[in-house]
Amino acid sequence: MLLLIAPAAVVLVCFQIIPILVGMNASFRDWSLVNPLKTWVGLSQYVAVFTDPVFLKIVLPNTFILMVSSVSVSLVLGLGLASLLNKSFFGRPLVRTVILLPLTIAPVITATMIRWSFNDQFGVITTFLAYLGLPEVAWLSDRWPSFTLVILTDIWIWAPWFTIILLAALQGLPPEQFEAAKIDAATPWRTFIHVTLPMLRPVITVCVLIRSIDAFRTFDQVYILTGGGPARSTEVFSVYVYVQAFVNLDFGRGAAAAGAGAIIMLLVGVGLYRLVNRTMVRSR
Amino acid sequence: MIGMLAAAFRRGVFSIGILAIFVLFVGPVAILVLTSVRPASGAYYIWRGTAFTLHNFVDVMQQSQVVKAMFNSFVLSSLATIFSLGITVGSGYMLSRFSGWIQRSWFATIYIFRTVPYISWVLPLYLVNTRLGIYDTYIGLLLPHIAVHVCFFSWLMKGFFDGINPSMEHAALIDGCTRWGAFYRVALPSAMPGIAALAILCWLSTWNEFLFALILTGQRTPMITSTMAQFVTETGTEWNLMSATAVIAMLPALLVTIFGQKYVIRGLRM
């Protein structure tokens, strides 16, 4: 019986747990990739990370802004789309197919096409917005426009994920309560708020938790879309670690940042686990 | 009369809304596809001009690095799918059917390690791989790709088996089947639809994966995503060739969206 988990456990230990330990070891040392002295420097790499103004004033806020805005907007849009797709209308199969595109296309490709569509000079969307007479925005050369674009890309990718899962949940709801609401002449909006939402709550909770954990490690879209620029102003946690280790070639500093992120996420993860368990018990 | 007008108006607004959703999701993809069939001179103003060409695709396919990257990504995704599903099916079954301290601690382990950000273990994995001499090789990328799926897939597999009534297996045991036989002959076939959906998602996610490819491979074992990223960040001016590469890299995703959407939806719902 132990044989059943042995292969999975061995792979997990060798390629996830051991690297984490190696990384922790490196994070306490002076480990430049050009000239790895590997001398023990104690906690000074961590101190350097937590006193780095880029990390404190840009990376951490960016990461959490991305996490909160992407998850909340995707959730709301997903709920809307799911309720829409729960009705039958002409073209529903087509809409249900096209919303799968963001989920199957690689984030690298998505970011590439968004970058091209919002190109300052030749982008189709930039030109279209100018044609509509809107003020021109240099999408990829200022902090907030480029970061907005990162968030919008993330929403484009993840709103369909919420839609698919919430649609499945909606279709699985028992019809009796909706019939009762109809007999009581409740408006569609009130039915949604007082009947649908409470019944969807467990699913929503789980979705939000999974997405929040994953949003913390967003890398692909940011790396391709802005590369963390202009001037490091759109870096998020994963990009910061990558830049420290492979651009500044300071592996020790990168490992310390990675370790700090892992610890933050472990704490958040344990907290969320408790929360999920409690919600599950209550909804049963 | 007014009621009819109002209804027509509502239907009009509704249709425009549906159209907007459609454009929102297809638009960026269409822009990319359109750029990929324009000649280099027409790539910058794709809404103007009528010159179309397939030359970009020919150009891209003549670059050995791109062809090699596609081949590598294909082989790696297939191997990673087979191995990840192979090793997590047992772990999921055990989590679902047995209980005890081993199962409980295993479940806690996979939950906790799912929350660890990828970069936190892929970064030091670079050192491990260089030390083991498997940096920039198939095996050096395949094993982490299996490891990344262990946690989440064990969890999903547990869900599949939770959904299957164990009384069938008990019946098989009474009829003289071994525990192993009950798993292999009874439980596994019933879980097959879920596993098939998971296989498609696993293949796609490995094909689409970028961070591992960026950190753990170099020139010898290029992957399609890292090759594309190189295009964007280093030579980000030849948008027609860029788009052609992206369209080729997007093909599996398009095929799955059109022909395998049943599996994608089933896979995502878990």
Side-chain angles (χ1 to χ4, degrees), chain A residues 1 5 15-16 19 89 97 100 104 106 108 112 116 122 127 156 168 210 214 217 219-220 245-246 251 258 266 269 273, chain B residues 18 24-25 35 43-44 47 94 111-114 118 120-121 123-125 143 208 210-211 239 242 253 257 261 269:
Chain A
M1 184 191 77
I5 59 162
F15 287 90
Q16 202 163 353
F89 57 86
T97 306
L100 290 179
T104 50
V108 171
T112 308
W116 171 225
F122 309 108
T127 316
W156 192 80
I210 292 179
D214 289 352
R217 63 169 169 237
F219 178 82
D220 305 10
F246 291 107
F251 201 87
L266 264 184
Y273 185 67
Chain B
I18 300 291
L24 190 67
F25 286 111
T35 313
Y44 289 115
W47 57 92
M94 199 198 74
Y111 177 82
I112 287 180
F113 280 96
R114 189 176 141 59
Y118 290 171
S120 299
W121 55 279
L123 188 75
L125 202 55
L143 289 168
N208 291 346
F210 174 56
L211 184 61
W239 282 102
M242 256 311 312
T257 307
Q261 53 168 300
R269 280 176 181 184

Short mmCIF file of all heavy atoms in Angstrom, two decimals, chain A residues 1 5 15-16 19 89 97 100 104 106 108 112 116 122 127 156 168 210 214 217 219-220 245-246 251 258 266 269 273, chain B residues 18 24-25 35 43-44 47 94 111-114 118 120-121 123-125 143 208 210-211 239 242 253 257 261 269:
data_model
loop_
_atom_site.label_atom_id
_atom_site.label_comp_id
_atom_site.label_asym_id
_atom_site.label_seq_id
_atom_site.Cartn_x
_atom_site.Cartn_y
_atom_site.Cartn_z
N MET A 1 0.83 -1.20 0.00
CA MET A 1 0.00 0.00 0.00
C MET A 1 0.87 1.26 0.00
O MET A 1 0.59 2.22 -0.72
CB MET A 1 -0.89 -0.01 1.24
CG MET A 1 -1.84 1.15 1.30
SD MET A 1 -2.62 1.27 2.90
CE MET A 1 -1.33 1.99 3.85
N ILE A 5 2.19 5.36 -2.89
CA ILE A 5 2.64 6.75 -2.87
C ILE A 5 4.14 6.88 -3.06
O ILE A 5 4.64 7.97 -3.26
CB ILE A 5 2.23 7.51 -1.59
CG1 ILE A 5 2.80 6.83 -0.36
CG2 ILE A 5 0.76 7.74 -1.50
CD1 ILE A 5 2.80 7.75 0.84
N PHE A 15 12.84 16.50 -6.21
CA PHE A 15 12.81 17.66 -7.10
C PHE A 15 12.03 18.83 -6.57
O PHE A 15 11.83 19.81 -7.26
CB PHE A 15 12.33 17.23 -8.49
CG PHE A 15 13.38 16.45 -9.18
CD1 PHE A 15 13.43 15.08 -9.05
CD2 PHE A 15 14.38 17.10 -9.88
CE1 PHE A 15 14.45 14.36 -9.63
CE2 PHE A 15 15.40 16.38 -10.48
CZ PHE A 15 15.43 15.01 -10.35
N GLN A 16 11.53 18.72 -5.32
CA GLN A 16 10.90 19.89 -4.76
C GLN A 16 11.46 20.18 -3.37
O GLN A 16 11.91 21.28 -3.11
CB GLN A 16 9.37 19.71 -4.72
CG GLN A 16 8.65 21.04 -4.67
CD GLN A 16 7.19 20.91 -5.04
OE1 GLN A 16 6.72 19.85 -5.45
NE2 GLN A 16 6.45 21.98 -4.88
N PRO A 19 15.53 20.67 -3.49
CA PRO A 19 15.87 22.01 -3.99
C PRO A 19 15.53 23.12 -3.02
O PRO A 19 16.30 24.08 -2.90
CB PRO A 19 15.02 22.13 -5.26
CG PRO A 19 14.83 20.75 -5.71
CD PRO A 19 14.76 19.91 -4.48
N PHE A 89 -29.40 30.69 -25.26
CA PHE A 89 -29.60 31.75 -26.25
C PHE A 89 -28.85 31.37 -27.51
O PHE A 89 -28.02 30.45 -27.50
CB PHE A 89 -29.11 33.11 -25.71
CG PHE A 89 -27.68 33.11 -25.27
CD1 PHE A 89 -26.64 33.34 -26.17
CD2 PHE A 89 -27.34 32.88 -23.93
CE1 PHE A 89 -25.33 33.35 -25.77
CE2 PHE A 89 -26.02 32.88 -23.53
CZ PHE A 89 -25.02 33.11 -24.46
N THR A 97 -17.27 27.96 -26.31
CA THR A 97 -16.01 27.51 -26.89
C THR A 97 -14.94 28.58 -26.81
O THR A 97 -13.81 28.31 -26.41
CB THR A 97 -16.22 27.09 -28.36
OG1 THR A 97 -17.27 26.14 -28.41
CG2 THR A 97 -14.97 26.50 -28.93
N LEU A 100 -12.83 29.26 -23.77
CA LEU A 100 -11.79 28.31 -23.41
C LEU A 100 -10.43 28.72 -23.98
O LEU A 100 -9.40 28.22 -23.54
CB LEU A 100 -12.14 26.91 -23.93
CG LEU A 100 -13.30 26.22 -23.24
CD1 LEU A 100 -13.55 24.86 -23.88
CD2 LEU A 100 -13.00 26.04 -21.76
N THR A 104 -6.45 27.64 -22.74
CA THR A 104 -5.64 26.64 -23.43
C THR A 104 -4.40 27.27 -24.08
O THR A 104 -3.41 26.60 -24.28
CB THR A 104 -6.46 25.91 -24.50
OG1 THR A 104 -7.13 26.87 -25.32
CG2 THR A 104 -7.49 25.01 -23.89
N ALA A 106 -1.01 29.31 -24.27
CA ALA A 106 0.05 29.56 -23.30
C ALA A 106 0.06 31.03 -22.87
O ALA A 106 -0.10 31.91 -23.72
CB ALA A 106 1.40 29.21 -23.92
N VAL A 108 2.46 32.78 -22.25
CA VAL A 108 3.52 33.45 -23.01
C VAL A 108 2.95 34.01 -24.32
O VAL A 108 3.23 35.16 -24.70
CB VAL A 108 4.66 32.46 -23.32
CG1 VAL A 108 5.66 33.08 -24.28
CG2 VAL A 108 5.35 32.04 -22.05
N THR A 112 2.29 37.86 -25.47
CA THR A 112 2.84 38.34 -26.73
C THR A 112 1.79 39.07 -27.54
O THR A 112 2.03 40.17 -28.06
CB THR A 112 3.38 37.16 -27.55
OG1 THR A 112 4.27 36.41 -26.75
CG2 THR A 112 4.11 37.66 -28.79
N TRP A 116 1.63 43.04 -28.52
CA TRP A 116 1.56 43.48 -29.92
C TRP A 116 0.32 44.34 -30.14
O TRP A 116 0.39 45.39 -30.78
CB TRP A 116 1.58 42.25 -30.82
CG TRP A 116 1.32 42.46 -32.27
CD1 TRP A 116 0.50 41.70 -33.06
CD2 TRP A 116 1.88 43.45 -33.15
NE1 TRP A 116 0.52 42.17 -34.34
CE2 TRP A 116 1.36 43.24 -34.43
CE3 TRP A 116 2.77 44.51 -32.96
CZ2 TRP A 116 1.68 44.04 -35.52
CZ3 TRP A 116 3.10 45.31 -34.04
CH2 TRP A 116 2.56 45.07 -35.30
N PHE A 122 2.10 50.78 -33.43
CA PHE A 122 1.40 50.01 -34.45
C PHE A 122 0.30 49.13 -33.89
O PHE A 122 -0.34 48.41 -34.64
CB PHE A 122 2.40 49.13 -35.21
CG PHE A 122 3.58 49.89 -35.70
CD1 PHE A 122 4.83 49.72 -35.12
CD2 PHE A 122 3.45 50.79 -36.75
CE1 PHE A 122 5.92 50.42 -35.58
CE2 PHE A 122 4.53 51.49 -37.21
CZ PHE A 122 5.77 51.32 -36.62
N THR A 127 -4.35 51.97 -31.81
CA THR A 127 -4.85 52.75 -32.94
C THR A 127 -6.36 52.92 -32.86
O THR A 127 -6.89 54.01 -33.10
CB THR A 127 -4.49 52.03 -34.25
OG1 THR A 127 -3.16 51.58 -34.18
CG2 THR A 127 -4.66 52.96 -35.44
N TRP A 156 -8.11 38.46 -18.28
CA TRP A 156 -8.51 37.83 -19.54
C TRP A 156 -8.27 36.32 -19.46
O TRP A 156 -9.07 35.52 -19.92
CB TRP A 156 -7.70 38.42 -20.69
CG TRP A 156 -8.17 38.07 -22.06
CD1 TRP A 156 -9.21 38.65 -22.73
CD2 TRP A 156 -7.64 37.07 -22.94
NE1 TRP A 156 -9.34 38.08 -23.97
CE2 TRP A 156 -8.40 37.11 -24.12
CE3 TRP A 156 -6.59 36.14 -22.84
CZ2 TRP A 156 -8.15 36.26 -25.21
CZ3 TRP A 156 -6.35 35.30 -23.91
CH2 TRP A 156 -7.12 35.36 -25.07
N ALA A 168 -20.57 25.11 -13.90
CA ALA A 168 -20.82 23.73 -13.49
C ALA A 168 -21.58 23.72 -12.17
O ALA A 168 -22.53 22.94 -11.98
CB ALA A 168 -19.50 22.99 -13.34
N ILE A 210 -7.74 28.92 -4.29
CA ILE A 210 -6.80 28.34 -5.26
C ILE A 210 -6.19 29.44 -6.12
O ILE A 210 -4.97 29.50 -6.33
CB ILE A 210 -7.52 27.31 -6.15
CG1 ILE A 210 -7.93 26.10 -5.30
CG2 ILE A 210 -6.63 26.85 -7.29
CD1 ILE A 210 -8.65 25.04 -6.07
N ASP A 214 -2.25 30.84 -6.54
CA ASP A 214 -1.57 30.82 -7.83
C ASP A 214 -1.22 32.21 -8.32
O ASP A 214 -0.21 32.40 -9.00
CB ASP A 214 -2.45 30.11 -8.88
CG ASP A 214 -2.51 28.62 -8.63
OD1 ASP A 214 -1.77 28.16 -7.75
OD2 ASP A 214 -3.29 27.93 -9.30
N ARG A 217 2.27 33.67 -7.59
CA ARG A 217 3.48 33.28 -8.31
C ARG A 217 3.44 33.65 -9.79
O ARG A 217 4.23 33.14 -10.58
CB ARG A 217 3.70 31.79 -8.16
CG ARG A 217 2.60 30.95 -8.75
CD ARG A 217 3.01 29.49 -8.78
NE ARG A 217 1.88 28.66 -9.10
CZ ARG A 217 1.46 27.67 -8.33
NH1 ARG A 217 2.05 27.41 -7.21
NH2 ARG A 217 0.44 26.96 -8.70
N PHE A 219 4.18 34.82 -13.24
CA PHE A 219 5.49 35.15 -13.80
C PHE A 219 5.41 35.42 -15.30
O PHE A 219 5.79 36.49 -15.77
CB PHE A 219 6.47 34.01 -13.51
CG PHE A 219 7.83 34.23 -14.09
CD1 PHE A 219 8.76 35.01 -13.43
CD2 PHE A 219 8.19 33.66 -15.30
CE1 PHE A 219 10.03 35.21 -13.97
CE2 PHE A 219 9.45 33.87 -15.85
CZ PHE A 219 10.36 34.65 -15.17
N ASP A 220 4.88 34.45 -16.05
CA ASP A 220 4.94 34.48 -17.51
C ASP A 220 4.45 35.80 -18.10
O ASP A 220 5.16 36.43 -18.88
CB ASP A 220 4.09 33.35 -18.12
CG ASP A 220 4.46 31.99 -17.58
OD1 ASP A 220 5.24 31.93 -16.61
OD2 ASP A 220 3.98 30.99 -18.13
N ALA A 245 18.59 36.70 -9.31
CA ALA A 245 19.45 35.54 -9.49
C ALA A 245 20.11 35.51 -10.86
O ALA A 245 21.30 35.20 -10.96
CB ALA A 245 18.66 34.25 -9.25
N PHE A 246 19.35 35.80 -11.92
CA PHE A 246 19.91 35.55 -13.24
C PHE A 246 20.26 36.81 -14.03
O PHE A 246 20.92 36.72 -15.04
CB PHE A 246 18.95 34.68 -14.06
CG PHE A 246 18.86 33.28 -13.53
CD1 PHE A 246 17.74 32.85 -12.87
CD2 PHE A 246 19.93 32.41 -13.68
CE1 PHE A 246 17.66 31.57 -12.36
CE2 PHE A 246 19.86 31.13 -13.17
CZ PHE A 246 18.73 30.71 -12.51
N PHE A 251 22.95 34.93 -6.73
CA PHE A 251 22.09 33.78 -6.45
C PHE A 251 21.64 33.75 -4.99
O PHE A 251 20.50 33.43 -4.69
CB PHE A 251 22.81 32.48 -6.80
CG PHE A 251 21.88 31.35 -7.02
CD1 PHE A 251 21.32 31.12 -8.26
CD2 PHE A 251 21.55 30.50 -5.98
CE1 PHE A 251 20.44 30.10 -8.46
CE2 PHE A 251 20.66 29.46 -6.17
CZ PHE A 251 20.11 29.27 -7.41
N ALA A 258 13.38 34.27 -2.66
CA ALA A 258 12.51 33.12 -2.93
C ALA A 258 12.05 32.49 -1.62
O ALA A 258 10.88 32.14 -1.46
CB ALA A 258 13.25 32.09 -3.79
N LEU A 266 3.53 30.09 2.69
CA LEU A 266 3.22 28.98 3.59
C LEU A 266 2.26 29.44 4.67
O LEU A 266 1.26 28.78 4.96
CB LEU A 266 4.49 28.45 4.24
CG LEU A 266 5.14 27.26 3.58
CD1 LEU A 266 6.33 26.78 4.39
CD2 LEU A 266 4.12 26.13 3.46
N GLY A 269 -0.98 30.04 3.14
CA GLY A 269 -1.56 28.75 2.77
C GLY A 269 -2.16 28.03 3.95
O GLY A 269 -3.28 27.51 3.88
N TYR A 273 -6.02 27.14 4.49
CA TYR A 273 -6.43 25.75 4.68
C TYR A 273 -7.45 25.66 5.81
O TYR A 273 -8.49 25.03 5.69
CB TYR A 273 -5.20 24.91 5.01
CG TYR A 273 -5.46 23.44 5.13
CD1 TYR A 273 -5.83 22.70 4.02
CD2 TYR A 273 -5.32 22.79 6.35
CE1 TYR A 273 -6.05 21.35 4.10
CE2 TYR A 273 -5.55 21.43 6.45
CZ TYR A 273 -5.91 20.71 5.33
OH TYR A 273 -6.15 19.37 5.44
N ILE B 18 -23.49 39.88 -26.23
CA ILE B 18 -22.91 38.59 -26.61
C ILE B 18 -21.79 38.80 -27.62
O ILE B 18 -20.71 38.21 -27.52
CB ILE B 18 -23.99 37.67 -27.22
CG1 ILE B 18 -25.11 37.41 -26.22
CG2 ILE B 18 -23.38 36.36 -27.70
CD1 ILE B 18 -24.72 36.56 -25.05
N LEU B 24 -14.18 40.15 -27.46
CA LEU B 24 -13.21 40.27 -26.39
C LEU B 24 -12.27 39.06 -26.33
O LEU B 24 -11.07 39.20 -26.13
CB LEU B 24 -13.96 40.40 -25.06
CG LEU B 24 -13.13 40.77 -23.85
CD1 LEU B 24 -12.61 42.17 -23.99
CD2 LEU B 24 -13.97 40.63 -22.59
N PHE B 25 -12.84 37.87 -26.53
CA PHE B 25 -12.00 36.69 -26.40
C PHE B 25 -11.35 36.26 -27.70
O PHE B 25 -10.29 35.65 -27.70
CB PHE B 25 -12.81 35.53 -25.80
CG PHE B 25 -13.06 35.72 -24.34
CD1 PHE B 25 -14.33 35.99 -23.86
CD2 PHE B 25 -12.02 35.67 -23.44
CE1 PHE B 25 -14.55 36.21 -22.51
CE2 PHE B 25 -12.22 35.88 -22.10
CZ PHE B 25 -13.49 36.14 -21.63
N THR B 35 -1.76 39.05 -38.25
CA THR B 35 -0.38 39.52 -38.41
C THR B 35 0.49 38.44 -39.02
O THR B 35 1.39 38.73 -39.81
CB THR B 35 0.20 39.93 -37.04
OG1 THR B 35 -0.74 40.73 -36.36
CG2 THR B 35 1.48 40.72 -37.21
N ALA B 43 2.99 44.17 -41.91
CA ALA B 43 2.70 43.70 -40.55
C ALA B 43 2.34 44.85 -39.61
O ALA B 43 1.62 44.67 -38.65
CB ALA B 43 3.91 42.94 -39.99
N TYR B 44 2.84 46.05 -39.93
CA TYR B 44 2.63 47.15 -38.98
C TYR B 44 1.27 47.80 -39.08
O TYR B 44 0.82 48.44 -38.16
CB TYR B 44 3.74 48.19 -39.14
CG TYR B 44 5.03 47.63 -38.63
CD1 TYR B 44 6.11 47.41 -39.46
CD2 TYR B 44 5.14 47.26 -37.29
CE1 TYR B 44 7.27 46.85 -38.98
CE2 TYR B 44 6.29 46.71 -36.80
CZ TYR B 44 7.36 46.51 -37.65
OH TYR B 44 8.49 45.94 -37.16
N TRP B 47 -4.62 46.42 -40.47
CA TRP B 47 -6.00 46.67 -40.88
C TRP B 47 -6.04 47.33 -42.26
O TRP B 47 -7.10 47.57 -42.80
CB TRP B 47 -6.71 47.55 -39.85
CG TRP B 47 -6.00 48.85 -39.62
CD1 TRP B 47 -6.23 50.02 -40.26
CD2 TRP B 47 -4.93 49.09 -38.72
NE1 TRP B 47 -5.37 50.98 -39.81
CE2 TRP B 47 -4.57 50.44 -38.85
CE3 TRP B 47 -4.25 48.27 -37.80
CZ2 TRP B 47 -3.54 51.00 -38.10
CZ3 TRP B 47 -3.23 48.85 -37.07
CH2 TRP B 47 -2.89 50.20 -37.22
N MET B 94 -4.78 5.87 -2.95
CA MET B 94 -4.50 5.61 -1.55
C MET B 94 -5.15 6.66 -0.65
O MET B 94 -5.74 6.33 0.38
CB MET B 94 -3.00 5.59 -1.33
CG MET B 94 -2.65 4.89 -0.06
SD MET B 94 -1.01 5.29 0.45
CE MET B 94 -1.23 6.93 1.03
N TYR B 111 -0.71 19.34 0.24
CA TYR B 111 -1.40 20.63 0.29
C TYR B 111 -0.38 21.76 0.49
O TYR B 111 -0.41 22.76 -0.20
CB TYR B 111 -2.45 20.67 1.41
CG TYR B 111 -3.09 22.04 1.48
CD1 TYR B 111 -4.12 22.35 0.60
CD2 TYR B 111 -2.62 23.02 2.33
CE1 TYR B 111 -4.68 23.61 0.59
CE2 TYR B 111 -3.17 24.29 2.33
CZ TYR B 111 -4.20 24.57 1.47
OH TYR B 111 -4.74 25.83 1.45
N ILE B 112 0.53 21.56 1.44
CA ILE B 112 1.48 22.62 1.77
C ILE B 112 2.40 22.89 0.59
O ILE B 112 2.64 24.04 0.22
CB ILE B 112 2.28 22.24 3.02
CG1 ILE B 112 1.37 22.38 4.23
CG2 ILE B 112 3.51 23.13 3.18
CD1 ILE B 112 1.99 22.04 5.53
N PHE B 113 2.87 21.83 -0.08
CA PHE B 113 3.82 22.08 -1.16
C PHE B 113 3.17 22.64 -2.41
O PHE B 113 3.84 23.14 -3.28
CB PHE B 113 4.66 20.83 -1.45
CG PHE B 113 5.77 20.71 -0.46
CD1 PHE B 113 5.63 19.91 0.67
CD2 PHE B 113 6.92 21.45 -0.62
CE1 PHE B 113 6.63 19.84 1.61
CE2 PHE B 113 7.93 21.40 0.33
CZ PHE B 113 7.79 20.59 1.43
N ARG B 114 1.84 22.56 -2.47
CA ARG B 114 1.18 23.23 -3.58
C ARG B 114 1.21 24.75 -3.42
O ARG B 114 1.17 25.48 -4.38
CB ARG B 114 -0.27 22.75 -3.70
CG ARG B 114 -0.91 23.26 -4.96
CD ARG B 114 -2.29 22.72 -5.14
NE ARG B 114 -3.18 23.73 -5.68
CZ ARG B 114 -3.00 24.35 -6.83
NH1 ARG B 114 -1.97 24.07 -7.58
NH2 ARG B 114 -3.85 25.25 -7.25
N TYR B 118 6.42 28.44 -7.43
CA TYR B 118 7.33 27.65 -8.28
C TYR B 118 8.76 28.17 -8.22
O TYR B 118 9.70 27.42 -8.12
CB TYR B 118 6.86 27.68 -9.74
CG TYR B 118 5.60 26.92 -10.01
CD1 TYR B 118 4.96 27.01 -11.23
CD2 TYR B 118 5.05 26.10 -9.03
CE1 TYR B 118 3.80 26.32 -11.48
CE2 TYR B 118 3.89 25.41 -9.27
CZ TYR B 118 3.26 25.52 -10.50
OH TYR B 118 2.11 24.84 -10.75
N SER B 120 10.44 29.44 -6.02
CA SER B 120 11.20 29.15 -4.81
C SER B 120 11.90 27.79 -4.88
O SER B 120 12.85 27.56 -4.17
CB SER B 120 10.30 29.18 -3.58
OG SER B 120 9.75 30.46 -3.44
N TRP B 121 11.39 26.87 -5.69
CA TRP B 121 12.15 25.62 -5.80
C TRP B 121 12.78 25.43 -7.17
O TRP B 121 13.71 24.63 -7.31
CB TRP B 121 11.31 24.41 -5.39
CG TRP B 121 10.01 24.22 -6.08
CD1 TRP B 121 8.83 24.83 -5.81
CD2 TRP B 121 9.73 23.32 -7.16
NE1 TRP B 121 7.85 24.39 -6.64
CE2 TRP B 121 8.38 23.46 -7.48
CE3 TRP B 121 10.51 22.41 -7.87
CZ2 TRP B 121 7.77 22.73 -8.49
CZ3 TRP B 121 9.89 21.69 -8.87
CH2 TRP B 121 8.54 21.85 -9.18
N LEU B 123 14.37 27.85 -8.77
CA LEU B 123 15.62 28.62 -8.72
C LEU B 123 16.78 27.76 -8.19
O LEU B 123 17.78 27.58 -8.88
CB LEU B 123 15.41 29.87 -7.87
CG LEU B 123 16.54 30.87 -7.86
CD1 LEU B 123 16.60 31.63 -9.16
CD2 LEU B 123 16.37 31.84 -6.71
N PRO B 124 16.63 27.17 -6.97
CA PRO B 124 17.71 26.29 -6.52
C PRO B 124 17.85 25.01 -7.35
O PRO B 124 18.92 24.42 -7.38
CB PRO B 124 17.35 25.96 -5.08
CG PRO B 124 15.98 26.42 -4.88
CD PRO B 124 15.67 27.43 -5.90
N LEU B 125 16.76 24.62 -8.02
CA LEU B 125 16.84 23.43 -8.87
C LEU B 125 17.87 23.63 -9.97
O LEU B 125 18.49 22.69 -10.46
CB LEU B 125 15.46 23.16 -9.50
CG LEU B 125 15.17 21.75 -9.99
CD1 LEU B 125 15.40 20.75 -8.89
CD2 LEU B 125 13.75 21.65 -10.48
N LEU B 143 11.86 15.63 -14.97
CA LEU B 143 11.62 15.28 -13.56
C LEU B 143 10.94 16.42 -12.79
O LEU B 143 9.96 16.17 -12.10
CB LEU B 143 12.92 14.83 -12.90
CG LEU B 143 13.38 13.46 -13.41
CD1 LEU B 143 14.80 13.16 -12.97
CD2 LEU B 143 12.44 12.36 -12.93
N ASN B 208 2.65 24.55 -22.52
CA ASN B 208 2.55 25.99 -22.28
C ASN B 208 3.52 26.51 -21.22
O ASN B 208 3.65 27.71 -21.06
CB ASN B 208 1.13 26.35 -21.83
CG ASN B 208 0.13 26.19 -22.93
OD1 ASN B 208 0.49 26.06 -24.09
ND2 ASN B 208 -1.14 26.19 -22.58
N PHE B 210 6.43 27.88 -18.96
CA PHE B 210 7.49 28.79 -19.38
C PHE B 210 8.63 28.92 -18.36
O PHE B 210 9.79 28.83 -18.72
CB PHE B 210 6.88 30.15 -19.67
CG PHE B 210 7.89 31.21 -19.96
CD1 PHE B 210 8.81 31.05 -20.99
CD2 PHE B 210 7.92 32.37 -19.23
CE1 PHE B 210 9.74 32.03 -21.28
CE2 PHE B 210 8.86 33.36 -19.49
CZ PHE B 210 9.77 33.18 -20.51
N LEU B 211 8.27 29.06 -17.08
CA LEU B 211 9.29 29.35 -16.08
C LEU B 211 10.38 28.28 -16.02
O LEU B 211 11.57 28.58 -16.01
CB LEU B 211 8.62 29.51 -14.71
CG LEU B 211 9.53 29.91 -13.56
CD1 LEU B 211 10.16 31.25 -13.81
CD2 LEU B 211 8.76 29.93 -12.26
N TRP B 239 7.49 41.44 -36.11
CA TRP B 239 6.24 40.95 -35.55
C TRP B 239 5.56 39.92 -36.44
O TRP B 239 4.82 39.07 -35.95
CB TRP B 239 5.29 42.10 -35.27
CG TRP B 239 5.67 42.79 -34.00
CD1 TRP B 239 6.34 43.95 -33.87
CD2 TRP B 239 5.42 42.32 -32.67
NE1 TRP B 239 6.54 44.25 -32.54
CE2 TRP B 239 5.97 43.28 -31.79
CE3 TRP B 239 4.78 41.20 -32.14
CZ2 TRP B 239 5.91 43.14 -30.41
CZ3 TRP B 239 4.72 41.06 -30.76
CH2 TRP B 239 5.28 42.02 -29.92
N MET B 242 7.32 36.66 -35.49
CA MET B 242 6.86 36.42 -34.13
C MET B 242 5.48 35.77 -34.11
O MET B 242 5.25 34.76 -33.46
CB MET B 242 6.66 37.77 -33.47
CG MET B 242 7.58 38.34 -32.49
SD MET B 242 8.02 37.30 -31.25
CE MET B 242 6.43 36.71 -30.79
N ALA B 253 -3.37 24.18 -28.67
CA ALA B 253 -4.42 24.81 -27.87
C ALA B 253 -5.70 24.97 -28.69
O ALA B 253 -6.80 24.68 -28.21
CB ALA B 253 -3.95 26.16 -27.36
N THR B 257 -9.24 23.20 -28.01
CA THR B 257 -10.42 24.03 -27.76
C THR B 257 -11.57 23.61 -28.66
O THR B 257 -12.72 23.55 -28.24
CB THR B 257 -10.08 25.51 -28.01
OG1 THR B 257 -8.94 25.83 -27.25
CG2 THR B 257 -11.23 26.40 -27.63
N GLN B 261 -13.10 20.17 -26.22
CA GLN B 261 -13.59 21.07 -25.17
C GLN B 261 -14.33 20.33 -24.06
O GLN B 261 -14.30 20.75 -22.92
CB GLN B 261 -14.45 22.18 -25.74
CG GLN B 261 -15.55 21.73 -26.60
CD GLN B 261 -16.50 22.88 -26.87
OE1 GLN B 261 -17.07 23.42 -25.96
NE2 GLN B 261 -16.65 23.26 -28.13
N ARG B 269 -13.42 21.41 -14.13
CA ARG B 269 -14.47 21.40 -13.11
C ARG B 269 -14.04 20.67 -11.85
O ARG B 269 -14.72 20.72 -10.84
CB ARG B 269 -15.71 20.70 -13.67
CG ARG B 269 -16.51 21.64 -14.52
CD ARG B 269 -17.67 20.91 -15.13
NE ARG B 269 -18.42 21.82 -15.98
CZ ARG B 269 -19.54 21.48 -16.59
NH1 ARG B 269 -20.01 20.26 -16.46
NH2 ARG B 269 -20.18 22.34 -17.33
#
